[in-house]
Amino acid sequence: MFLAFKLSDLITIPFGWVLGQLYSLTGNYGVALCAFAVIVYMALLPITAKSKQSTMKMSRLQPRIQDIQKRYGSDPQKQNEAMQKLYQEEGLSMYTGCLWSFVPLFVLLPLFTIIRNPIVYILGESEAVATQIIEIIKTLEPASFGSNNYYDQVVAASAIAKYAAEIQAAIPEISARALEGINFNFLGMNVGSVPDFAFWKWASFDWAHIGLFLIPFVSAGTQFIQSKLMM
């Protein structure tokens, strides 16, 4: 077990447990994910604040940095010494702002593992059982799965309740909670669906499909606006 431990488990295991508990409380994946996003944001807030403080200090020092660059433009050694002295006086490091900005990435990236593996992290089953469930549902409903198996657990989790009898017969040790599957319906959309950018292949142009298609663009747009406001 120790050898199988991965560094990312420091993030995925506790945060996966939190998401699982939120789903147990709400009974809805979309609601649980919204609450989970707030908790992650609050957990990262001190780090984000530290990063913004460092960025603001660096911005405030820009006129003095530019002055040093002008005065010692022909002498890189003196310029570097003057820059280091300035940073020491202000209690900053040349790399402080960048380092604090990268810390949230080491937390957020493993969270994608949690979101794309709901059978393991929300329903509490092992990787082996999750693989068995996927194979059973792939046999019964192959059209639901695409060529990319990255989100197979998400697709399978939405169909578990439909094939509960078959799954229980094949996996007697599976828990009753897992056999209930996951409720991905949120605001009229199936948030467990993987959006298809080939919109001309859609069977219908309802709000569920349109909403799933627009979510990445809305997310990118709000992030851009937030970054501009923070600046």
Side-chain angles (χ1 to χ4, degrees):
M1 289 294 292
F2 179 76
L3 292 175
F5 182 83
K6 303 187 294 292
L7 189 61
S8 61
D9 289 343
L10 294 172
I11 304 297
T12 57
I13 290 174
F15 277 99
W17 180 86
V18 170
L19 183 56
Q21 294 302 307
L22 289 171
Y23 179 78
S24 296
L25 288 171
T26 62
N28 185 282
Y29 184 78
V31 175
L33 207 56
C34 289
F36 181 68
V38 172
I39 290 172
V40 172
Y41 179 82
M42 295 302 294
L44 291 176
L45 192 58
I47 298 172
T48 305
K50 190 71 175 178
S51 173
K52 297 302 179 186
Q53 287 174 357
S54 298
T55 303
M56 289 172 67
K57 285 184 179 179
M58 291 294 291
S59 298
R60 183 170 54 83
L61 291 179
Q62 282 305 308
R64 296 172 66 181
I65 291 172
Q66 291 172 0
D67 181 58
I68 291 171
Q69 290 172 340
K70 288 179 182 178
R71 280 190 288 135
Y72 302 108
S74 58
D75 192 336
Q77 185 176 349
K78 284 188 176 180
Q79 184 183 123
N80 190 48
E81 290 174 355
M83 295 278 278
Q84 288 183 350
K85 183 179 179 182
L86 175 62
Y87 286 133
Q88 287 174 359
E89 289 174 354
E90 296 293 331
L92 288 170
S93 167
M94 294 179 71
Y95 308 105
T96 299
C98 294
L99 289 175
W100 282 114
S101 297
F102 279 114
V103 169
L105 290 177
F106 292 109
V107 176
L108 294 173
L109 290 177
L111 293 184
F112 286 106
T113 302
I114 297 172
I115 293 169
R116 71 180 182 87
N117 292 296
I119 297 176
V120 172
Y121 292 102
I122 296 181
L123 299 180
E125 295 296 334
S126 66
E127 289 281 358
V129 170
T131 301
Q132 284 182 275
I133 292 171
I134 291 168
E135 290 305 317
I136 293 167
I137 297 176
K138 272 188 176 180
T139 302
L140 297 169
E141 200 173 293
S144 297
F145 295 84
S147 57
N148 184 358
N149 61 2
Y150 197 74
Y151 293 101
D152 277 359
Q153 279 199 35
V154 177
V155 176
S158 62
I160 289 175
K162 183 178 179 181
Y163 300 107
E166 291 87 344
I167 293 170
Q168 188 172 34
I171 314 171
E173 69 275 14
I174 193 169
S175 66
R177 181 190 180 194
L179 287 172
E180 293 175 0
I182 294 178
N183 176 18
F184 284 109
N185 293 318
F186 180 65
L187 298 179
M189 297 182 294
N190 179 7
V191 293
S193 296
V194 180
D196 187 358
F197 283 94
F199 55 86
W200 55 89
K201 295 181 181 178
W202 292 353
S204 61
F205 283 86
D206 54 17
W207 279 111
H209 285 84
I210 295 169
L212 285 170
F213 182 77
L214 291 178
I215 282 173
F217 297 100
V218 173
S219 177
T222 53
Q223 286 295 320
F224 177 77
I225 294 170
Q226 183 182 12
S227 66
K228 285 294 185 182
L229 291 173
M230 293 300 292
M231 291 296 289

